[in-house]
């Protein structure tokens, strides 16, 4: 075992270790003193090891260039150390100003498009450095019922928690859908909440600059100083700010007597949340609506619904939850959790696009990208002892089998004969392609 971080000299620590050591101290201070307001943080944001660690994480996340067109390769040609030093200097003399956010659209499962705001790499680095500094403070406050975009927490933990509640008999579920949450967060109320834990005016000012950064779309600018709502999806700091604001809802549900008396729980992943209990009276839903209204938010009444999970399935985070007869024991019903149909259709569409775009690649080049799609999707949904994916993965294997056959057939008659010779199993054994029907047993 290595030496504890606190017993080693700073010069012996990596940037990641130094940042982690600072975060641990900040977290413990925030946990011990829930009412403490932190006042000297801005100077940490511009420290060299924080900026280097921020750059490393931003680069690992990938993503395209922002409105300035500057890419990671250009930054590395210019010199990362020099680039980060200039950022640090602009923060020190308060000349740093974020660039406009580039708006792009990505397709949603329902055929609509979701707007994303892409900051420049420079702004992503500064946002990441700020996030590294302030996140431990709010992590000390966040409720255990919140799972999205938090360290060491994931959708798998949220699904596991829901299954536990269902097995306790909490089968009435209110599946909530917030209308355009990221676009409707009120800046003034959000900054008041941030200010309850941070009194450093420079950090508050930075946050305000990012919230009010103009948006560039097709050469036209919108937003800016007059903008009073929203934080762009795609910004590094946005998920943390979104969690900070909805923490109010978590705290009310977990702490208010009317929820505790009825045993109603909340499970939230970013802006997606459910209420779950043995019974969820209408007055509870009316109260939640009033609270959200005071926060400047509203539920999408068409998509939000209350279900009795014993009688009707519900979807959350891409999973479908249903109470049905077991595969082996038909006399008994079980809580069955598997990938939802929208998620299954989405991966098939992704595979179809991959096959089309890589039609003329040889198998040794074709298989790694295919495996990445399959592995990522199956890893998300496979939760040992929680989700049941065998049936879904078998269907995926059959879809892949057909897709490969037609893929070869379109290439040429000769290659189609080659597929007939090797077959699906031959491609698995010869080129290392993942067989979805066997994936669970290989892990």
């Amino acid at each position: 075992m290595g030496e504890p971080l606190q017993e080693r000299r700073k010069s012996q620590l990596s940037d990641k270790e130094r940042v982690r050591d600072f975060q641990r101290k900040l977290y413990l201070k925030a946990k011990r003193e829930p009412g403490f307001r932190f006042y000297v943080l801005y100077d940490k944001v511009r420290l060299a090891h924080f900026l280097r660690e921020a750059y490393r994480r931003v680069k690992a996340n990938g993503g395209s260039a922002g409105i300035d067109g500057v890419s990671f390769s250009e930054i590395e040609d210019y010199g990362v150390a020099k680039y980060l030093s200039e950022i640090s200097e602009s923060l020190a003399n308060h000349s740093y100003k974020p660039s406009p956010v580039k708006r792009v659209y990505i397709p949603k499962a329902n055929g609509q498009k979701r707007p994303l705001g892409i900051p420049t790499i420079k702004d992503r680095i500064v946002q990441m450095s700020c996030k590294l500094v302030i996140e431990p403070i709010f992590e000390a406050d966040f409720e255990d019922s919140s799972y999205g975009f938090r360290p060491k927490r994931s959708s798998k933990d949220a699904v596991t928690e829901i299954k536990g509640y269902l097995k306790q008999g909490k089968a009435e579920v209110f599946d909530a859908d917030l209308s355009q949450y990221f676009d409707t967060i009120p800046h003034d109320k959000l900054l008041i909440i941030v200010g309850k834990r941070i009194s450093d005016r420079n950090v508050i000012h930075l946050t305000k600059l990012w919230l009010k950064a103009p948006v560039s779309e097709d050469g036209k600018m919108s937003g800016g100083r007059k903008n009073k709502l929203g934080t762009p999806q795609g910004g590094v700091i946005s998920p943390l700010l979104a969690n900070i604001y909805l923490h109010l809802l978590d705290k009310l549900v977990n702490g208010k007597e009317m929820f505790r008396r009825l045993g109603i729980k909340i499970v939230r992943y970013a802006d997606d949340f459910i209420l779950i209990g043995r019974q969820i009276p209408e007055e509870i839903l009316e109260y939640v609506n009033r609270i959200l209204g005071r926060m400047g938010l509203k539920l999408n009444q068409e998509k939000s619904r209350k279900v009795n999970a014993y009688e009707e399935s519900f979807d959350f985070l891409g999973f479908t939850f249903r109470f049905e007869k077991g595969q082996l024991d038909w006399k008994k019903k079980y809580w069955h959790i598997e990938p939802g149909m929208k998620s299954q259709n989405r991966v098939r569409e992704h595979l179809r696009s991959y096959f089309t775009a890589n039609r003329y690649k040889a198998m040794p080049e074709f298989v790694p990208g295919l495996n990445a799609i399959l592995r990522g999707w199956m890893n998300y949904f496979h939760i040992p002892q929680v989700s049941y994916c065998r049936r879904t993965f078998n269907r995926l294997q059959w879809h892949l089998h057909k897709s490969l056959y037609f893929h070869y057939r379109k290439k040429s008659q000769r290659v189609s004969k080659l597929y007939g010779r090797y077959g699906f199993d031959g491609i698995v054994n010869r080129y290392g392609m993942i067989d979805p029907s066997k994936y669970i047993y290989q892990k």
Side-chain angles (χ1 to χ4, degrees):
M1 296 291 289
E3 296 177 74
L5 294 183
Q6 57 268 33
E7 294 180 9
R8 293 160 59 191
R9 294 180 180 178
K10 287 185 179 180
S11 59
Q12 297 176 306
L13 300 176
S14 66
D15 292 335
K16 183 178 180 180
E17 288 172 325
R18 291 181 70 183
V19 168
R20 194 173 62 198
D21 187 43
F22 173 81
Q23 288 179 320
R24 184 184 296 111
K25 292 173 181 174
L26 211 61
Y27 175 86
L28 292 173
K29 171 76 172 176
K31 202 71 175 174
R32 282 195 304 266
E33 301 181 43
F36 187 81
R37 297 177 72 211
F38 291 80
Y39 51 88
V40 183
L41 298 172
Y42 184 76
D43 62 323
K44 309 297 188 299
V45 174
R46 61 184 180 84
L47 287 176
H49 61 281
F50 269 92
L51 289 172
R52 286 194 299 265
E53 178 61 14
Y55 178 80
R56 184 187 70 80
R57 296 192 185 198
V58 169
K59 186 182 178 185
N61 289 339
S64 59
I67 195 172
D68 61 358
V70 176
S71 64
F72 288 106
S73 58
E74 288 178 287
I75 292 172
E76 296 190 356
D77 289 341
Y78 181 77
V80 174
K82 183 180 178 183
Y83 187 77
L84 297 181
S85 176
E86 290 173 359
I87 291 176
S88 178
E89 186 178 343
S90 70
L91 289 168
N93 61 29
H94 300 280
S95 63
Y96 166 78
K97 293 288 186 296
S99 300
V101 173
K102 183 170 74 173
R103 174 159 288 172
V104 298
Y105 292 88
I106 59 171
K108 295 171 67 175
N110 59 8
Q112 296 179 346
K113 292 185 176 181
R114 183 192 305 276
L116 280 185
I118 302 178
T120 63
I121 292 176
K122 177 181 179 180
D123 291 333
R124 298 202 304 258
I125 293 168
V126 181
Q127 286 187 26
M128 179 64 80
S129 186
C130 184
K131 178 175 177 283
L132 291 173
V133 172
I134 69 173
E135 187 175 50
I137 299 169
F138 295 100
E139 272 296 317
D141 296 339
F142 287 160
E143 299 284 323
D144 290 340
S145 54
S146 167
Y147 293 91
F149 304 105
R150 294 184 58 191
K152 299 180 181 179
R153 287 176 160 254
S154 69
S155 58
K156 293 187 176 187
D157 300 317
V159 171
T160 302
E161 188 78 355
I162 292 170
K163 186 172 185 179
Y165 289 141
L166 290 169
K167 291 172 77 173
Q168 293 172 22
K170 298 178 187 292
E172 191 146 279
V173 176
F174 178 68
D175 182 8
D177 185 275
L178 286 172
S179 294
Q180 300 178 316
Y181 172 62
F182 281 85
D183 295 332
T184 56
I185 300 174
H187 294 174
D188 55 349
K189 294 179 180 179
L190 171 62
L191 290 170
I192 288 171
I193 296 170
V194 173
K196 287 184 177 179
R197 271 307 217 167
I198 295 174
S199 62
D200 189 322
R201 287 185 293 178
N202 290 319
V203 171
I204 299 292
H205 180 66
L206 264 186
T207 307
K208 191 182 295 185
L209 287 176
W210 291 323
L211 290 173
K212 297 189 178 297
V215 175
S216 173
E217 183 177 356
D218 297 329
K220 298 179 181 178
M221 293 289 180
S222 61
R225 291 182 181 179
K226 294 181 180 179
N227 183 31
K228 297 180 180 180
L229 299 173
T231 175
Q233 293 188 64
V236 173
I237 201 77
S238 295
L240 175 60
L241 297 178
N243 271 334
I244 289 170
Y245 197 57
L246 273 183
H247 170 65
L248 283 175
L249 179 64
D250 299 337
K251 199 171 179 181
L252 279 169
V253 174
N254 292 326
K256 201 160 183 68
E257 174 60 26
M258 64 188 298
F259 291 94
R260 287 208 308 267
R261 186 177 67 252
L262 294 167
I264 295 172
K265 303 291 185 180
I266 184 171
V267 178
R268 184 174 66 80
Y269 189 96
D271 59 329
D272 292 322
F273 73 90
I274 65 167
L275 299 177
I276 186 167
R278 295 181 185 276
Q279 281 188 315
I280 304 178
E282 283 303 313
E283 56 263 32
I284 289 288
L285 300 183
E286 290 170 5
Y287 176 79
V288 169
N289 259 310
R290 286 200 303 273
I291 293 301
L292 291 173
R294 289 178 198 169
M295 294 172 67
L297 309 173
K298 62 179 180 178
L299 289 170
N300 184 328
Q301 299 297 338
E302 292 182 2
K303 294 183 179 180
S304 301
R305 64 191 188 114
K306 184 169 71 170
V307 301
N308 182 338
Y310 283 130
E311 300 172 357
E312 188 179 356
S313 66
F314 68 95
D315 291 347
F316 189 64
L317 301 178
F319 292 81
T320 292
F321 299 74
R322 63 166 62 90
F323 193 61
E324 65 179 15
K325 293 177 181 178
Q327 297 295 304
L328 300 176
D329 184 1
W330 287 84
K331 295 180 181 179
K332 189 174 181 181
K333 286 189 172 184
Y334 299 87
W335 288 110
H336 189 92
I337 302 171
E338 66 176 355
M341 283 309 302
K342 286 184 180 178
S343 302
Q344 295 181 49
N345 292 335
R346 199 175 299 129
V347 74
R348 288 174 188 147
E349 182 59 39
H350 196 177
L351 288 171
R352 190 178 299 115
S353 299
Y354 182 80
F355 274 87
T356 302
N358 298 276
R359 181 175 296 172
Y360 299 106
K361 280 187 178 179
M363 265 296 145
E365 299 173 352
F366 181 84
V367 166
L370 178 63
N371 280 349
I373 296 170
L374 295 170
R375 186 182 295 111
W377 192 80
M378 291 189 291
N379 278 348
Y380 178 84
F381 287 103
H382 177 51
I383 311 175
Q385 308 300 317
V386 176
S387 64
Y388 177 79
C389 295
R390 183 187 300 175
R391 186 167 59 189
T392 307
F393 288 1
N394 285 344
R395 283 199 292 262
L396 181 60
Q397 190 259 14
W398 175 241
H399 175 81
L400 188 59
H401 197 297
K402 290 193 301 180
S403 298
L404 281 167
Y405 173 77
F406 287 112
H407 174 72
Y408 271 109
R409 191 174 178 181
K410 287 176 183 177
K411 290 179 75 169
S412 75
Q413 187 176 356
R414 184 184 66 81
V415 183
S416 181
K417 290 179 180 178
L418 186 65
Y419 179 70
R421 183 188 307 166
Y422 290 120
F424 184 90
D425 291 337
I427 296 173
V428 170
N429 296 327
R430 189 179 181 88
Y431 298 107
M433 185 182 72
I434 292 172
D435 181 349
S437 66
K438 298 177 181 177
Y439 189 68
I440 294 173
Y441 310 105
Q442 295 170 348
K443 289 181 69 65

